[in-house]
Amino acid sequence: MPLSKTFVYISHPRYLEHDTGGGEHPESPERLEEINRRLQTLADPGRIVTQKPAPAARSWIMRIHSEDYLLRFEETALAGLGYFGHPDNQLGYDTYEIALLAAGAGLSGIDLAEQEPAAAIFCGVRPPGHHAEKAMALGFCFLNNIAIAARYWQEKYGRRRLAIIDFDAHHGNGIQAAFEESPEVFYLSIHEHPTFSFPGTGYAEEHGVGSGLGTTMNIPLLPGAGDREVARAFTRRVEPALADFRPEALIIGAGFDGHRLDDMSGLAYSSALYRFLGQRIAALAERHCEGRLITILEGGYHLPSLGESFSEYCSGLRQSS
Amino acid sequence: MFVSNFMSYPVRTVGPDTLVPEARKIMSAASCRHLPVVDESKLLLGIITDRDIRSALPSKVVDQGEMTECLHRFETLPVKRIMTETVTCLTVEATLDDALILFEEHKVGALPVLDADNRIVGILALNDLLKAYKKLFGLGVRGSSLIVVKDNGKPHPLTRLTEILEAREVPFTRLIRTGDNDRDTLIYIRIHTHKLHAIYHALAEAGFETVAPHPISLESPGFLRRE
Ligand SMILES: [Zn+2]
């Protein structure tokens, strides 16, 4: 049996301090504790490295978010107002700083992917990011970690053509909004159909805007859809689209809330699906991008399934070819 | 609710003696497919569509000599000769419902909107109506989704529903209850939260049955039978 690839887990203990009020809030610190526990059980422990990120510089955050929004975000956190914009988006005194650290994980991951494209890199962050828009917190998200990382990769390393594959159960409206006019960033998302699911965006008919027409691909699945539907969509839609687009680097939005036991969506994926996705994604990165690939955590709220799906995904990532 | 909130205005219009090629240019510049024809006091005389213009163009199958003659005829043709004179119109007081009924009945692409003195003040294209209903239903509003609840005959379902949502500080923006004799009465609510599961649980606890959506399966015999 071939050795697994080196696995780099980028995370920070302070992510556990983002306080969503406890109680019933699904986006809890226990999510990362579960992942940290699973990390100990991954294969080839000698080839697992953990790394702490630095906070993202404000200038990188401002490539995606407005200054006024950042000020309001910081003020709301420091004032102890409990939530930002909508009761879903609960926060605590430290949330602003922690969100900068969460955005920083992607940037550290990219630095590493440029040095060691053969490593499998996973950023285990919270708060999540893909629903956050330029000036709006939404769906537990404050800063759009993936969109910020994409800009960083483009501008720091000149990798202009990027693809973002988002397999969270929900549409990443914030990522789409950031890049729908850009022909250089291809956003592909597989999610539960927006008529029945949060955030109500990501219809198949949205293909991008203006010169970005054709570099947005939404693949909505009906409630109840499972492994077969995702595998089919990946093979028939995602892989051919990327073969045409020829990205120079790949960013993955890894949400595990499509799992059948996760009640944050009506999708019915099994844990094994995430291994399939890990393998196919690593193969795509090798085929098109010389291995330049990072993965950033989004959702996933049913703790045992989150842990199991995470380890399946990582095994898939490390296994390819 | 009123068409005046969704119509396009001011409207590009032409006079009855405007030549068809000129009207064609105006339409393509304004990228519209309907051009009302009015007199000096803005009274509506008729309407021309891009299709009327295409029909007036000489056919490609005629021979060279005939072609030149047809082209000349086209170049000098005033719009009054090809316009539709009987035009279905809306008034500024018309509602979206009026527009929907007219569009369905008359199979037209746009309806001019007239003031009390029959002067044209706007135009409502079919696409404007679609946009209006999209807005009305809150489609694509960030952070919202539709849930569907069965009205199972227990008293005050709407009150109980809204209480559940308000107690949890979950904003909702659309509440629609359908009533069809031969079908279940359904209640549609557009709610704004990522914690949909918490709402589903609360609804179940309060005795509501939520409806899982299913498309019509082409293989099932139910496709041809109305269930
Ligand atoms: Zn999600």
Side-chain angles (χ1 to χ4, degrees), chain B residues 39-88:
Chain B
D39 67 10
E40 310 82 64
S41 52
K42 285 263 172 194
L43 282 174
L44 188 68
L45 302 173
I47 195 163
I48 56 164
T49 67
D50 56 345
R51 201 192 292 176
D52 296 334
I53 293 182
R54 260 182 283 133
S55 317
L57 273 165
S59 154
K60 291 201 177 76
V61 294
V62 297
D63 67 46
Q64 197 56 48
E66 239 179 303
M67 182 62 131
T68 319
E69 195 185 316
C70 289
L71 266 179
H72 177 72
R73 214 183 304 140
F74 178 77
E75 300 289 339
T76 55
L77 188 66
V79 293
K80 66 182 173 196
R81 298 268 308 281
I82 65 164
M83 70 186 185
T84 305
E85 287 175 54
T86 324
V87 186
T88 312

Side-chain angles (χ1 to χ4, degrees), chain A residues 130 168 170 257, chain B residues 194:
Chain A
H130 73 158
D168 186 278
H170 306 97
D257 43 8
Chain B
H194 198 353

Side-chain angles (χ1 to χ4, degrees), chain B:
Chain B
M1 273 285 112
F2 292 102
V3 296
S4 52
N5 297 126
F6 297 96
M7 68 188 187
S8 308
Y9 68 95
V11 200
R12 196 76 179 82
T13 57
V14 289
D17 296 314
T18 308
L19 299 179
V20 173
E22 174 65 14
R24 193 188 186 194
K25 256 185 247 161
I26 292 169
M27 281 165 92
S28 81
S31 58
C32 64
R33 308 167 78 163
H34 302 83
L35 206 49
V37 183
V38 298
D39 67 10
E40 310 82 64
S41 52
K42 285 263 172 194
L43 282 174
L44 188 68
L45 302 173
I47 195 163
I48 56 164
T49 67
D50 56 345
R51 201 192 292 176
D52 296 334
I53 293 182
R54 260 182 283 133
S55 317
L57 273 165
S59 154
K60 291 201 177 76
V61 294
V62 297
D63 67 46
Q64 197 56 48
E66 239 179 303
M67 182 62 131
T68 319
E69 195 185 316
C70 289
L71 266 179
H72 177 72
R73 214 183 304 140
F74 178 77
E75 300 289 339
T76 55
L77 188 66
V79 293
K80 66 182 173 196
R81 298 268 308 281
I82 65 164
M83 70 186 185
T84 305
E85 287 175 54
T86 324
V87 186
T88 312
C89 295
L90 292 160
T91 68
V92 274
E93 279 141 26
T95 65
L96 291 179
D97 295 342
D98 295 316
L100 186 62
I101 292 166
L102 288 183
F103 276 122
E104 194 191 13
E105 224 173 77
H106 296 275
K107 315 248 182 301
V108 291
L111 298 166
V113 182
L114 308 182
D115 69 9
D117 301 319
N118 281 332
R119 276 186 298 254
I120 183 158
V121 290
I123 191 161
L124 187 83
L126 188 52
N127 201 39
D128 297 326
L129 184 77
L130 292 181
K131 275 190 211 150
Y133 274 103
K134 185 179 169 203
K135 202 168 164 202
L136 212 56
F137 283 101
L139 207 107
V141 173
R142 297 282 205 274
S144 72
S145 41
L146 206 59
I147 59 175
V148 188
V149 177
K150 247 183 214 173
D151 181 352
N152 50 14
K154 292 186 190 154
H156 311 302
L158 300 186
T159 310
R160 287 187 293 124
L161 270 175
T162 52
E163 272 171 4
I164 289 170
L165 296 172
E166 282 171 350
R168 281 165 185 73
E169 284 191 81
V170 171
F172 63 96
T173 49
R174 315 291 192 279
L175 180 61
I176 300 166
R177 182 191 195 178
T178 61
D180 232 334
N181 291 335
D182 55 336
R183 289 180 183 229
D184 287 327
T185 298
L186 297 179
I187 302 167
Y188 297 81
I189 320 156
R190 182 167 290 279
I191 67 174
H192 296 243
T193 180
H194 198 353
K195 300 182 199 165
L196 280 174
H197 66 296
I199 299 305
Y200 279 122
H201 290 175
L203 290 173
E205 242 167 53
F208 283 106
E209 193 185 336
T210 46
V211 183
H214 285 293
I216 294 170
S217 162
L218 294 179
E219 283 106 53
S220 88
F223 178 54
L224 296 174
R225 244 186 301 129
R226 214 177 122 94
E227 284 171 65

Side-chain angles (χ1 to χ4, degrees), chain A residues 19 26 41 55 60 70 76 95 100 154 183 261 280 292 299 301 321:
Chain A
D19 182 4
T41 66
W60 289 115
L70 292 181
T76 309
T95 296
L100 295 181
Q154 286 190 307
L261 295 179
R280 293 295 189 93
R292 282 183 294 271
Y301 305 95
S321 70

Side-chain angles (χ1 to χ4, degrees), chain A residues 52-73:
Chain A
K52 275 187 209 161
R58 214 180 154 84
S59 57
W60 289 115
I61 309 281
M62 279 173 53
R63 301 293 293 113
I64 295 296
H65 297 281
S66 70
E67 185 162 26
D68 170 66
Y69 171 75
L70 292 181
L71 287 172
R72 279 189 290 126
F73 176 24

